[in-house]
C-alpha cells in the first residue's frame, strides 16, 4: 500500500466549539485536550462554529475577536495546523447549504426533545429564535459534510450527536449510502466538568458568576483564587462520590489533567484536608495551562501566520465539504451545473 492509500484510509474526526466567550477548563478537559492525542492517527477537522453562536445575540466586534482567540487557543493547546484542518464554520458555505437540506429530513418532535434547546430557551426567554431550535441540524451538517467517523465531545453533546446519527440514517435509507454514520468519542473522566460554584451544574462559559468557571487564559492567581472559593461540603473527607459533587469535581479535574486514576488520587489525598486538595488541584491547573498561555501570547504577535492558517485551512475544508454537498444535491434531485 503506498502512502497516499494509507493516508486515505485514516478515519475522519470532526469537532467544534462555539466562540461565544472565553474557552473554559470544561472545554479543555472535555474536548480540546483529547483532540491533541488524535492528530497523528486520524484526519482531523476542528471548527470554530461561529454560525451556531448567532443563536444568542452577539456583539459583532466581540464575536470576531473571540473567534480568532478560539482558533489560537486550539493551536496553543497543541493542535498542529499542518496536520489538522482548523477553520471557521462561516468560511465554508456548505455547512449552511447542507443544513437546509437536512432540516427537511428532521422532525419538529425530534428537535422539541433536545434538552439544550429547552434549557437555552428558558434562559433566553426574550429571544427563542428559530436558529436555537434548529441548532442540532446545523451541527449534524457540520459532522456529516466531512464523512466523519468520530466526534470527540463532552457529555453534554451526546444528544446532539444522536440526532445527527438519526438524520444520517434516515437520509441513507432513502438515497443509499451517502453519509458515514458518526460515533461519539467521549472521555471516561472529565466528560462533564461542573461549575465551581454549583457542582450540580455544568461548568459553562456563559455562567454569570465568573467564579463558577476557569478560563484557559486565566492568570495563575485567578485560578488559585477560584479553586480556593470552590464550593465543597462539610463532610471533611475526600471521597469520589455523587454525595460530594464539589469534591468529586475537583478530583475529576485533578485526575484528567494528570492522567491519573481516581483510585490513586483518592489514595493520595486520604489523610489530607480540603485545603490541601484545593491547593494541589489549583497548582495542577496552573501547570497544565501555563504552556498553552505562553504559546497563545506568542501567536497573538504573529498575525500573518494566523491569517495564512485561516486562509489555507478554510480552502482545504471548502474543497472537502463540496464533495459531500455535490453528492447530496445530486441525490435529492437538484439540476446539475453546466
Ligand atoms: P460548546 O462550545 O458548548 O463546547 C465545546 C466542547 O466542550 C465540551 N464541554 C465540556 N466538556 C466537559 N465539561 C464541561 N463543563 C464542558 N463544557 C463544554 C462540549 O461537550 C464540546 O465538546 N454544539 C457544540 C459545538 C458544535 C459541535 C459541532 C461539536 C457545533 N457543531 C459538531 C461537535 C461536532 C457546542 O456548543 O459546544
Amino acid at each position: 500500500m503506498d502512502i497516499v492509500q494509507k493516508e486515505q484510509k485514516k478515519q475522519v474526526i470532526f469537532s467544534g466549539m462555539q466562540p461565544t466567550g472565553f474557552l473554559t477548563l470544561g472545554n479543555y478537559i472535555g474536548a480540546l485536550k483529547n483532540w491533541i492525542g488524535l492528530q497523528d492517527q486520524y484526519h482531523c477537522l476542528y471548527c470554530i462554529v461561529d454560525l451556531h453562536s448567532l443563536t444568542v445575540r452577539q456583539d459583532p466586534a466581540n464575536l470576531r475577536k473571540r473567534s480568532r482567540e478560539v482558533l489560537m487557543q486550539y493551536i496553543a493547546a497543541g493542535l498542529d495546523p499542518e496536520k489538522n484542518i482548523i477553520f471557521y464554520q462561516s468560511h465554508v458555505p456548505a455547512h449552511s447549504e447542507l443544513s437546509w437540506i437536512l432540516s427537511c429530513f428532521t422532525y419538529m418532535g425530534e428537535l422539541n426533545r433536545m434538552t439544550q434547546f429547552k434549557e437555552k430557551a428558558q434562559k433566553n426567554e426574550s429571544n427563542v429564535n428559530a436558529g436555537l431550535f434548529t441548532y442540532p441540524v446545523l451541527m449534524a451538517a457540520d459532522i456529516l459534510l466531512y464523512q466523519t467517523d468520530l466526534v470527540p465531545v463532552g457529555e453534554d453533546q451526546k444528544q446532539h450527536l444522536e440526532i445527527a446519527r438519526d438524520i444520517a440514517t434516515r437520509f441513507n435509507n432513502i438515497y443509499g449510502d451517502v453519509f458515514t454514520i458518526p460515533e461519539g468519542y467521549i472521555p471516561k473522566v472529565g466528560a462533564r466538568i461542573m461549575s465551581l460554584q454549583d457542582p450540580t451544574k455544568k461548568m459553562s462559559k456563559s455562567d454569570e458568576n465568573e467564579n463558577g468557571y476557569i478560563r484557559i487564559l486565566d492568570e495563575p492567581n485567578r485560578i488559585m483564587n477560584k479553586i480556593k472559593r470552590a464550593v465543597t461540603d462539610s463532610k471533611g473527607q475526600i471521597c469520589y462520590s455523587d454525595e460530594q459533587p464539589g469534591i468529586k469535581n475537583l478530583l475529576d479535574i485533578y485526575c484528567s489533567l494528570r492522567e491519573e486514576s481516581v483510585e490513586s488520587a483518592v489514595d493520595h489525598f486520604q489523610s489530607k484536608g480540603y485545603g490541601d486538595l484545593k491547593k494541589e488541584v489549583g497548582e495542577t491547573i496552573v501547570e497544565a495551562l501555563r504552556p498553552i498561555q505562553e504559546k497563545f501570547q506568542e501567536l497573538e504577535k504573529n498575525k500573518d501566520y494566523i491569517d495564512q492558517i485561516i486562509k489555507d485551512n478554510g480552502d482545504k475544508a471548502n474543497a472537502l465539504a463540496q464533495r459531500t454537498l455535490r453528492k447530496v444535491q445530486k441525490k435529492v434531485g437538484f439540476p446539475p451545473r453546466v
Side-chain angles (χ1 to χ4, degrees):
M1 197 186 291
D2 65 19
I3 288 177
V4 176
Q5 277 173 320
K6 256 194 200 156
E7 283 284 308
Q8 280 170 348
K9 278 198 91 86
K10 276 188 181 175
Q11 285 198 312
V12 177
I13 287 209
F14 181 97
S15 200
M17 293 199 187
Q18 289 196 66
T20 35
F22 296 93
L23 294 189
T24 69
L25 189 64
N27 295 131
Y28 180 64
I29 293 178
L32 185 51
K33 177 176 172 287
N34 307 308
W35 300 355
I36 313 302
L38 302 168
Q39 53 191 345
D40 292 319
Q41 257 172 294
Y42 298 92
H43 269 308
C44 303
L45 295 110
Y46 294 114
C47 191
I48 292 99
V49 295
D50 44 6
L51 298 179
H52 279 107
S53 295
L54 281 195
T55 53
V56 175
R57 281 285 173 274
Q58 302 291 334
D59 170 68
N62 227 0
L63 180 60
R64 241 185 310 275
K65 186 165 185 284
R66 296 282 167 266
S67 300
R68 197 169 168 102
E69 282 171 358
V70 171
L71 185 129
M72 289 195 290
Q73 282 174 84
Y74 282 2
I75 300 169
L79 288 183
D80 179 346
E82 298 288 327
K83 287 186 189 161
N84 306 273
I85 302 181
I86 299 171
F87 68 105
Y88 295 135
Q89 189 185 29
S90 61
H91 284 191
V92 183
H95 289 247
S96 310
E97 293 178 71
L98 182 61
S99 181
W100 169 255
I101 296 175
L102 296 182
S103 72
C104 302
F105 294 84
T106 309
Y107 298 115
M108 300 285 282
E110 285 178 301
L111 295 174
N112 246 330
R113 283 198 294 274
M114 295 291 114
T115 353
Q116 191 165 307
F117 169 68
K118 288 186 210 160
E119 279 171 14
K120 289 204 172 167
Q122 218 174 24
K123 236 170 138 184
N124 300 290
E125 260 179 355
S126 58
N127 184 18
V128 184
N129 57 69
L132 201 59
F133 189 62
T134 57
Y135 180 113
V137 184
L138 178 58
M139 183 160 158
D142 297 341
I143 297 168
L144 301 179
L145 255 187
Y146 300 96
Q147 304 294 346
T148 302
D149 296 286
L150 287 177
V151 186
V153 282
E155 205 174 73
D156 60 329
Q157 297 302 316
K158 250 183 176 169
Q159 205 184 21
H160 287 161
L161 201 62
E162 214 37 62
I163 198 173
R165 287 166 55 87
D166 291 345
I167 297 170
T169 308
R170 183 170 307 137
F171 196 93
N172 282 356
N173 284 341
I174 304 172
Y175 298 105
D177 260 353
V178 178
F179 295 123
T180 303
I181 309 295
E183 300 280 346
Y185 186 91
I186 294 168
K188 288 199 183 79
V189 178
R192 194 173 176 81
I193 298 298
M194 309 309 273
S195 155
L196 298 174
Q197 289 299 308
D198 177 358
T200 60
K201 260 182 22 194
K202 185 185 80 164
M203 181 183 283
S204 162
K205 46 178 141 33
S206 57
D207 195 336
E208 276 149 27
N209 184 352
E210 272 206 28
N211 287 323
Y213 59 88
I214 287 175
R215 298 173 180 154
I216 293 184
L217 298 177
D218 266 349
E219 315 82 70
N221 261 347
R222 218 165 180 185
I223 295 174
M224 294 305 284
N225 275 331
K226 287 182 181 177
I227 291 291
K228 222 186 252 172
R229 289 189 194 160
V231 169
T232 52
D233 54 61
S234 55
K235 289 205 165 151
Q237 241 192 345
I238 298 173
C239 298
Y240 189 79
S241 145
D242 287 337
E243 281 166 31
Q244 293 181 263
I247 296 296
K248 186 176 179 205
N249 193 35
L250 292 177
L251 285 170
D252 273 337
I253 294 172
Y254 180 88
C255 289
S256 46
L257 290 180
R258 295 173 62 101
E259 294 185 0
E260 193 175 316
S261 73
V262 171
E263 294 76 30
S264 123
V266 171
D267 207 42
H268 172 74
F269 288 111
Q270 206 180 27
S271 54
K272 300 190 178 181
Y274 288 1
D276 302 312
L277 173 70
K278 285 183 168 179
K279 184 166 174 287
E280 287 194 43
V281 172
E283 285 167 357
T284 300
I285 301 170
V286 168
E287 285 319 310
L289 298 183
R290 189 192 305 280
I292 304 176
Q293 297 178 351
E294 284 170 3
K295 182 84 205 269
F296 181 86
Q297 280 161 9
E298 232 175 78
L299 291 171
E300 262 188 320
K301 292 180 209 141
N302 219 333
K303 182 179 178 299
D304 293 347
Y305 171 67
I306 297 295
D307 285 346
Q308 196 59 46
I309 288 170
I310 293 170
K311 188 186 175 313
D312 292 349
N313 282 259
D315 290 347
K316 284 187 205 165
N318 261 306
L320 287 172
Q322 280 303 319
R323 281 197 218 160
T324 303
L325 184 67
R326 291 277 176 264
K327 195 167 165 188
V328 169
Q329 289 173 329
K330 191 172 167 197
K331 290 280 184 186
V332 298
F334 293 167
R337 279 147 219 255
V338 281

